[in-house]
Structures are given as C-alpha cells and as structure tokens.
Amino acid sequence: RSTSTDLHIYGDTANCPNDFNSVTGRYDEGCCDNVFFNVDTYVNNFAAVIFGNTDCTKLNGMEVNVCDFMTTQSNHAIFVNGYPNDFDGNVWDWLKERAILVRMYLNNGGNDWAQKSGWLGIDNHCDWEGVTCTAASSVAAVNLQNNQLSGPFPSDLNNLGNLQTLNIYANGLSGEIPNDLCDRSTYNSLFIYADAGNCPNNANSRSSVCCDTVYGG
C-alpha cells in the first residue's frame, strides 16, 4: 500500500526493507517513505562500502586505524545527537572526505607535523588546521606546506571532488603525484604547489604539466 502512495510509512532503518544506496548514502524509494537513520547502522554501512568490511580488525596496515576512527561515533561531533538531518551538506560525502584526511594524517606522519591543530579531533574537519571547505562542508583547499609530512604521496586526494588548491611543498613525501590528480591540474580545475620530487613536470621546461609551482629540485 505504501508503494502505491495511499499509505505513507515513516520507519527506522531496522524496520524498513528499503535498499541502501552506497553512492548517495541514502535509502532508495521503497516500503518506507522516510527512513530514520540509526547512526551505528549508518557508520557500519559506511565501513562496508569504503573499507569493504565492517570489522576493522580484518583490514591491513594503517587501514585498521582509519576504519576504527571512522566507525567510532564519538569521533564525530555531528553525530552527538544522532543523525544530523539539518547538516549543511551531504553527510555521506562528508564522511568520505573525512576518511581521506584521517588516512593522510596517519600515513604521512601526522604526529610529527608542525601544524596540526584540530586534526583527528571530534570537530568538523573543515576546522582542522590547513583545511578549508565550501559552505556545504566539502574540502576546497588543503594547505600543509612546510609541515613535516613524510611517507608516500597520498593516493586518494582526487576523491576530494571540490578540491581547488593543494599546497603541499617543502615536505618529505616520496613518490609522484597520482595521474588522476595531475589531470585535474592540467585542466586548471586544481592548483598544485608541490616539491620537485613529487611533481612529474617536464624537467627541462618546468612547464605546468602537473604542478602549477614546483619547489626545489
């Protein structure tokens, strides 16, 4: 009767057989017209989609720590009163971007960073030092230059879909900037400022093949 619109059902995630959409982070149309989120269920869905497992201990390396942080409800102030229906932005996308930043901190020596105020705290990551967001809480800039970053260059920054500025020079990162990130830079939708050891620019012309400004070398 609900699907034929003569009955409107509002139920919890545990009671509604609607399918969960892993792209949007919402429930598809179905039996319940409105599904009320349970945060524990929501973060478990997030873990299943992003990490491929709801049991963080079954992951490898630092992903165990990233998963553990992301699935601990108390690590995210937006969930203090349950699911934030009044959030200015997309909660699912916000969580995905948060995981990218958490992974960056853990994989790139965050404990030794010179400037790291707020990082891995419970507040919105848009308030973490060096991070700037849009009005909809989507990461627009990461400014971590001269900040003692180490380890391999992050491989998933391209998943910050609204990133416009990446300032990451004067650090100790190894490896080249991934091609997908470079592609965005060459189309002028992203400005990258990075070290010569990370920039796959033409060594002779120093042209903007990937990095808009190349430091050192």
Side-chain angles (χ1 to χ4, degrees):
R1 287 179 58 186
S2 175
T3 55
S4 64
T5 73
D6 67 341
L7 170 66
H8 297 282
I9 299 177
Y10 305 85
D12 296 321
T13 54
N15 308 121
C16 294
N18 300 45
D19 291 327
F20 184 80
N21 189 316
S22 62
V23 175
T24 65
R26 309 289 300 181
Y27 285 90
D28 292 333
E29 292 184 2
C31 176
C32 295
D33 297 274
N34 199 338
V35 180
F36 292 87
F37 289 98
N38 173 278
V39 173
D40 287 334
T41 301
Y42 194 74
V43 296
N44 278 336
N45 285 336
F46 179 80
V49 172
I50 301 303
F51 303 105
N53 203 315
T54 59
D55 184 353
C56 297
T57 64
K58 295 185 181 299
L59 302 178
N60 297 318
M62 197 60 74
E63 284 298 277
V64 172
N65 302 80
V66 179
C67 177
D68 185 62
F69 180 91
M70 293 304 303
T71 56
T72 301
Q73 183 177 337
S74 59
N75 286 335
H76 317 292
I78 65 168
F79 293 139
V80 66
N81 294 314
Y83 183 85
N85 291 299
D86 58 349
F87 182 72
D88 290 331
N90 183 297
V91 176
W92 190 250
D93 289 342
W94 182 89
L95 281 174
K96 289 193 290 186
E97 294 197 339
R98 190 172 179 86
I100 292 169
L101 295 177
V102 169
R103 183 176 294 111
M104 185 180 190
Y105 183 91
L106 294 175
N107 283 337
N108 297 118
N111 286 335
D112 297 322
W113 291 0
Q115 309 295 328
K116 56 183 177 181
S117 177
W119 281 77
L120 268 58
I122 68 171
D123 292 333
N124 193 330
H125 53 258
C126 295
D127 297 323
W128 293 356
E129 190 164 9
V131 178
T132 302
C133 291
T134 67
S137 295
S138 181
V139 176
V142 175
N143 295 297
L144 294 174
Q145 65 273 19
N146 194 24
N147 203 36
Q148 300 177 22
L149 274 70
S150 60
F153 198 97
S155 62
D156 56 354
L157 294 182
N158 189 53
N159 292 326
L160 298 174
N162 289 308
L163 185 66
Q164 298 174 3
T165 302
L166 178 61
N167 255 317
I168 204 163
Y169 64 88
N171 284 299
L173 295 171
S174 60
E176 289 189 344
I177 298 171
N179 290 334
D180 53 8
L181 207 60
C182 286
D183 289 342
R184 285 172 60 185
S185 178
T186 57
Y187 284 104
N188 296 319
S189 63
L190 170 64
F191 295 92
I192 300 176
Y193 308 90
D195 294 323
N198 306 125
C199 295
N201 291 34
N202 186 299
N204 295 318
S205 67
R206 312 297 276 178
S207 60
S208 276
V209 174
C210 178
C211 298
D212 296 270
T213 302
V214 181
Y215 292 81

